[in-house]
Amino acid sequence: MISRSAYTYFKAFTLLFLGGLVFGNVNYILFGVFFLAFFLLGANIGEPKDVVVKRTFTPRRPYVGTDLEVRLQVTVSKGSGFVEVFDQVPEIFELVGGNNVHLVWKTLGKEVKQEFTYTLRCTRRGNYEFKPTQVTRINALRLTKAVPEPAGEPVELTVLHKPSGLRRMKEVRGLARTMRTDIDQARIGSQSTEFDELREYTRGDPMKWINWKATARVSTIGRFKPMVNRYEPEGKKAVFFFLDAAHYMQAGSTIENTFENTIKATTGMAKFFIDKGFKLGGQFFNARNDVSIYPDLGERQFLRLTQELSDLEPGDPQVGAFAEAVEAAKVHLISQRPLSIIITRPEINFEETLDGLSRIRRYTSTTRRMRPIIVINPLVYSTVAGSDEYAAFAMNILKAENRTRYHQLRRMGMSVIDWDPKKEDIGVRLLRQVRAR
Amino acid sequence: MSDDGSGPPALSRLRVRLTGILMMRQLGLLFLVALLLTAQVYLMDFYGQIGPGLRNEGPWVQTVTFGWFTLPILVAGVFAFVFATGIVFAAGPSERSFTIFLLLIIAATGAANYDHSILDWFLAIVPKVAVTNSNPVSVLKVLLGAGMFAAVVLMHYNILADDFTRRLLGRGVAAEEVVPVRRHMVRLLLPVLFSAGAVAVTLGLVGEFSQLVFQGHGLFAKFEIVVLGGLGVAIGYVLLQILRAYYAKRKHGANVK
C-alpha cells in the first residue's frame, strides 16, 4: 500500500501527464516523469528487505523477583530504510533496563547487524507467551505504508516462585513439636546401592547378599555365622500436599497476596522434601482447574509440580471439594501412608475441612500407628487489616473466635501451623516448631 | 523547569530553536523555488518564435521583451505568488496544505511552460493572443523545473522528517536512535531526487535533439503525441500492476524472518 505522501506525488504525475496529453506539451510530460521516477525509485530503494531477528531469553526459567535478560539480534541484508523492532511484553513484566523498541537504519549496499538487550523483572508466577518480535519495515522516504510483521516464533516462558529456603536445624539440638518423617525410610521399594550395615543372615535373605569375607572373620572367633550386607532401600516415604486454591486464599494485591505466598511456600516445601529423596504427590482443589499429581520422586517430579503450581489460578470454592480431593487421592494415601500437608484456611468452611481431615486420617493411619497430618493455615489478618486500627481490632476478634476451632483440630492429633505470610517466611515459621532442649 | 526556575524548560528552548532552524530552511527553499520559477517565466519564448514586437532580437538568446519596467513586476509577481502560497504550508505544515501548495506550483509551472504546447486549446479562444512556439520541448526549462520540484519535495520532507521523529519518540524509541532520522532521510532523498531529475532532463535532451534532427514538426506531430500518450497510459497501467503485485508479496511478510 502506498502512503498518503506517495499518493500526492502520484496525483502530481497524473495531472502533469494528462496536462501534457491535453495540451500536447512534452515539458509537462517530463515533469510528470520526474514525479513518477521519484516515486518508483523512492519506493524501491528506500525499502529494507530480508530482515532476520533472533531473540534469546536468559534464564529460560526465571523466578519471581529476578531479572530476565532479552537479547535481540537484528540483521537487515538488502535495501535501505528504517526497521522498527518491537517486543510486546506481557503486563506482569516490568521493564527495568534497556528498551523493548528500537530503530535500525539500513544503509544501501551494506548489511546491518545490530544487537539490543533489555531487562525485565518478573513480578508474578505463571506461564506467559512472548509474541513474535514485531518488525516494521519503514520506507526511508515514507512512500509506502509501514505494516508491522511478525518475525520469528512466539516464546513461552514459565515464571516460577523462588522456593522458600527450608532447612534442617543441625546446630541446635531440640525437640520437634510434631512428628517428622524426614529420616523415615520407605518400607517398600527396591534396594539401592547405598551400603547401610552388616547383619546376621536371616531366613529369606538372598545368597548374593552374603559378605564372605566378613563371614570368615566372624567365624574365626566363634561359631559359623553367615553375615550379609544390608543396603538402604530406594527412596523415603511419601509426602502428599492438599492445596486449597479458592479465592478466599487470595488476600492482598494481585501481585503480592496470600495465595502467591502459599504457592511460594508449597514450592519451598516440595523442594525440601524432593532434595531429601521423598516421594511427592498432591491434589490442588477449588482451583479454576483442579490438579492431581501422581506421587513420584526426583527433580523431574519437582519440575512437574512447579509447572502445575505456576499455572494454578484461584477458582470459586465448591461444596465438598476437599473431601473429593481426598477421595481422588485415596489409593495413594492407603498404599503409601504419606505425611499429609494441607494448606487451607480451615475457618472458612470448618465442617468441610474437618470431614476432609477425618478421611485422610482414616486412609493413612491405623489404630496402632498414626501418620502425621500437618495443617498450614495462612493467616490473612495482617494483610486485610493493613494499618487501619479498627480493622486490626476486628481481625483480632476473628482470630480469637477461630482459636477454638484450631484447638479442636489439635485435639484430634493434627498439627496446625498458623503462618502469617506478611510477617515471616514459611521456613522461619517451621523452624519455630522446634523447641530448644 | 529551567535551572534558575524562571525561563522555559531546556527541552522547550531546544524545540523553539529547532523550529526556528526548520523555518529558515523552509524559507530558503521557498526562495529557491521562486527563483527557479522566475527563470522559467523569463525563458518563455527562448526560441523567439512567438511573434514580432514581443521579443528581443539577438544572435543566441531571444526572450520575451521584459523591459526595465516589466522585469521587476514579473520578479515581484512570481516571488509574491510563491511566498503567498508557500508560507501557508511553511507556517501550518500538513499533508493537505502541502497538496495545495504543490498543485499551485504545478499550475504556475504549467503557465510558465505553456509556450511549448502544440495543442493550444486554451488560449486559442482569445483572438490575437499567441504565446506558443513550434518547439515542443525545452531542456533548459525541464532542468529548471526539475530543480524547482526537487526543492518543493525537500520542503515536504523537512516536515515529514519532523513528523516521523515525533512519532518515533511517541512510540518509545530512544532519543539517540531518533536524532539521526532526518540526516538518514535527506541522505537518501538527495540521490533519489537527483536521479529522478536526471531521468526527466535526459528525456528532455533526447527530445530536443530529436527536434533538431527531424526539424520538430512532422506531418503527424499531433497524431504522434496522441499515440505516445496512449502508449504512456499503457506503460503506466503495466507499472501499476507490477507495483500491486510487489506490495501484495510484501504484505505476506516474505521479507521478514
Side-chain angles (χ1 to χ4, degrees), chain A residues 69-81:
Chain A
E69 195 184 78
V70 186
R71 195 177 291 268
L72 286 170
Q73 200 179 55
V74 186
T75 313
V76 190
S77 306
K78 288 178 187 167
S80 175

Side-chain angles (χ1 to χ4, degrees), chain A residues 45 72 80 116 124 159 192 208 234-235 268 321 345 362 387 404:
Chain A
I45 294 172
L72 286 170
S80 175
F116 305 107
R124 197 169 179 269
V159 181
S192 70
K208 67 175 181 182
E234 194 86 63
R345 289 176 62 195
R362 201 183 310 145
S387 55
T404 50

Side-chain angles (χ1 to χ4, degrees), chain A residues 5-6 8-14 16-17 28-46 139 141 143, chain B residues 142 146 149-150 153 157 188-204 232 235-236 239-240 243 247:
Chain A
S5 309
T8 306
Y9 292 123
F10 212 81
K11 235 171 15 185
F13 156 71
T14 314
L16 286 162
F17 192 81
Y28 291 178
I29 292 174
L30 292 177
F31 290 138
V33 166
F34 169 82
F35 282 110
L36 182 70
F38 169 70
F39 166 72
L40 290 176
L41 285 169
N44 282 286
I45 294 172
N139 183 285
L141 302 181
L143 290 172
Chain B
V142 170
F149 283 127
V153 172
Y157 274 89
L188 192 77
L189 178 67
L190 290 177
V192 169
L193 281 176
F194 181 79
S195 309
V199 169
V201 171
T202 310
L203 285 174
I235 292 170
L239 277 173
L240 201 68
L243 277 174
Y247 288 114

Side-chain angles (χ1 to χ4, degrees), chain A residues 384-402:
Chain A
V384 174
S387 55
D388 187 351
E389 199 184 328
Y390 294 104
F393 184 68
M395 285 300 144
N396 278 337
I397 294 171
L398 198 67
K399 209 170 165 179
E401 204 176 270
N402 288 331

Side-chain angles (χ1 to χ4, degrees), chain A residues 113-175:
Chain A
K113 260 187 193 174
Q114 280 197 28
E115 204 171 274
F116 305 107
T117 310
Y118 62 92
T119 314
L120 300 171
R121 183 156 297 155
C122 316
T123 56
R124 197 169 179 269
R125 49 106 208 161
N127 263 335
Y128 301 99
E129 190 190 74
F130 278 76
K131 288 184 179 160
T133 305
Q134 201 174 292
V135 169
T136 314
R137 295 181 299 127
I138 304 165
N139 183 285
L141 302 181
R142 312 276 318 269
L143 290 172
T144 52
K145 272 187 183 165
V147 183
E149 297 160 282
E153 297 295 318
V155 174
E156 206 158 274
L157 214 71
T158 307
V159 181
L160 306 170
H161 262 306
K162 201 170 187 175
S164 296
L166 261 67
R167 58 188 189 277
R168 285 187 65 190
M169 290 179 72
K170 287 178 181 170
E171 291 79 14
V172 182
R173 290 171 68 83
L175 294 170

Side-chain angles (χ1 to χ4, degrees), chain A residues 190-225:
Chain A
S190 56
Q191 301 279 320
S192 70
T193 53
E194 203 71 31
F195 179 75
D196 187 18
E197 61 171 350
L198 267 176
R199 63 167 173 78
E200 278 188 37
Y201 177 85
T202 52
R203 275 181 66 183
D205 284 342
M207 288 290 279
K208 67 175 181 182
W209 283 12
I210 296 174
N211 185 332
W212 293 106
K213 277 185 184 173
T215 305
R217 198 165 49 242
V218 172
S219 302
T220 50
I221 303 164
R223 64 183 183 87
F224 175 71
K225 284 181 194 165

Side-chain angles (χ1 to χ4, degrees), chain B residues 171 177 220:
Chain B
R171 279 187 63 78
E177 288 176 21
F220 305 104

